[in-house]
Amino acid sequence: VPTGAGDATTLAIPGLRLLDARWLGDGARLVVRAVAADGTSRLYAVGRDGSAPTAITPAGLDVATVGWAVAPNGREVAVSSADGVQLFAVSGGAAGRRLPGSRSRWTVVGWIGSGLLLAESPVDGGRIERVDPASGDATRWADIQPADPAGVMNDDLTTLR
């Protein structure tokens, strides 16, 4: 795990295979996406020294291949799910809440000071919405398209317009 200038620190947590991580603003803790020995994946809060992880997401919500992001204030994480975008406290223990107005097609691509960044198909490009996590109000933040869409197809095999 890069820790800034200087030497890198290796983070190993017994019983978990780490997939990726995001630093929290305090620089002392991280949110890690990890797979347990039983094959389940969750998000955990952990100290930079690898101290005992605290589960953020509940068992049963597979986060191995979904978009997720940490709030700039470090208090919440947003996770894509089949039911839409879910918000969870980094402190763990509390049930998550569904983002108001969330759509099942939305994928979390980031979280900036002015809101969550969500897209329907981030790999293919297209419209990215900035969404207020409290109200669910969405506004267009960007529209990413190829300069020349000739030959580019949508998931349903129609040509981009």
Side-chain angles (χ1 to χ4, degrees), residues 6-63:
D7 296 330
T9 300
T10 300
L11 182 65
I13 303 170
L16 296 177
R17 181 173 50 90
L18 304 182
L19 301 175
D20 57 2
R22 310 277 192 282
W23 283 103
L24 293 175
D26 62 10
R29 297 178 304 141
L30 304 99
V31 174
V32 298
R33 177 168 34 185
V35 178
D38 65 2
T40 60
S41 63
R42 296 171 79 170
L43 296 179
Y44 298 89
V46 63
R48 70 184 301 162
D49 60 356
S51 59
T54 302
I56 296 172
T57 54
L61 176 61
D62 185 8
V63 299

Side-chain angles (χ1 to χ4, degrees), residues 98-126:
R98 187 172 189 269
L99 177 71
S102 183
R103 301 176 198 148
S104 62
R105 299 182 315 267
W106 274 351
T107 298
V108 175
V109 294
W111 200 331
I112 59 175
S114 58
L116 278 163
L117 299 179
L118 308 172
E120 288 190 14
S121 183
V123 173
D124 298 330

Side-chain angles (χ1 to χ4, degrees), residues 140-151:
R140 181 179 298 198
W141 186 73
D143 195 0
I144 301 171
Q145 299 292 337
D148 181 2

